[in-house]
Amino acid sequence: MEHANAIPKQADSSKEGARERTTLDHIIERLASMELPGKEYLEQYMHYKWRVNHKPRTMKGSFTSIVLFLTFYGASGKSDITRLERSDLESFIEHEQDRGMYISTVRVRMASVIAFVHFLMEQDILSPLLLKKTIRLKIPETLPRAMNPVDVKRLIGSIDVVRDRALILLLLRTGMRIGEVLSLTINDIDLAEKKIHVMEGEKNSMGRVVYLSEDAVFALKRWLAVRNKENAYIFSGRGNSPICYSAARSRFFIYLKKAGLEHKGYTVHCLRHTFASELLNAGMRLEVLQQLLGHRDIEVTRHYARLTDRTREEEYFRAMAIIEKGGIHGDY
């Protein structure tokens, strides 16, 4: 009886191995049709995960996350994975947030990407110094990153395609998220009133109204005059669907490079940060900015106030001037 029971166990073990190998085969087949930076290293990594007996679900999740990262890396204009930098990993985190991903999802994806990076370091493909300092995902506590005003002018001056100029100026002058802009239809825009009706916010489903500056109106009118009127979306891609995230970001990176700004680590989402920072510096009240950005919690908007608080800056230099002149007396 004991011998009879042992045979099914061996069969079960064989089936388990076959199921895992089928998962690996499926992944390798998918990978074969993709054009990705570091594709050969990803294949090696998937074989490694299969050898150490990772579960099919783990392998699939890891593969998906790494493909997302490598696609982003390639879309940033980079092709050599051996030249990966820490800033590329940090930019990917912001990219995923820009797409509306929850921080928990970003953490899971980054765990897979970091594991892949560690594998490449162990293979002497990447420097062990790349992750000398741990990448922490306390992103909601970090200050927003706005573009320098001089860089903004250089960026705008580099845009020579009518559609792209309208797209980037809309992002810069309305503070809309990239997904919200790409989802716009002609019925959402009121050029006469210089308004855009965002029917549903990308992250929190909050509808709101944003406004158009003169240069954004001008750029938008030029684009509307030449676009295909049969397309439902303002910025249409193939068929009757909007431009995809990766295509829009690729265009942004093209102009960053053309303006000589590709080394500064700017992302599309920096345009939203720039919008908020410039309005606060121009004297807009925090409560008004909150509504324009579509934030449910004003504490999220307050991050921009920490970045742009002129009063704090002025108080510091006023006090420091007194100290430097020896105007402080008394014991401590």
Side-chain angles (χ1 to χ4, degrees), residues 10 32 59 147 297 324 329:
Q10 292 176 352
M59 291 185 64
M147 294 182 69
D297 188 350
E324 289 175 340
H329 305 284

Side-chain angles (χ1 to χ4, degrees), residues 286-314:
L286 201 63
E287 295 80 3
V288 177
L289 180 62
Q290 176 191 7
Q291 296 173 22
L292 292 176
L293 291 174
H295 290 155
R296 286 190 181 277
D297 188 350
I298 198 170
E299 289 303 316
V300 178
T301 318
R302 207 176 296 279
H303 286 296
Y304 296 100
R306 284 162 46 195
L307 182 70
T308 61
D309 189 351
R310 295 296 190 195
T311 302
R312 180 179 61 240
E313 181 179 335
E314 291 167 0

Side-chain angles (χ1 to χ4, degrees), residues 83 90 113 118 173 186 256 307 315:
R83 302 185 69 175
E90 293 171 340
V113 172
H118 276 296
R173 301 308 193 202
I186 193 66
L256 280 181
L307 182 70
E315 287 290 315

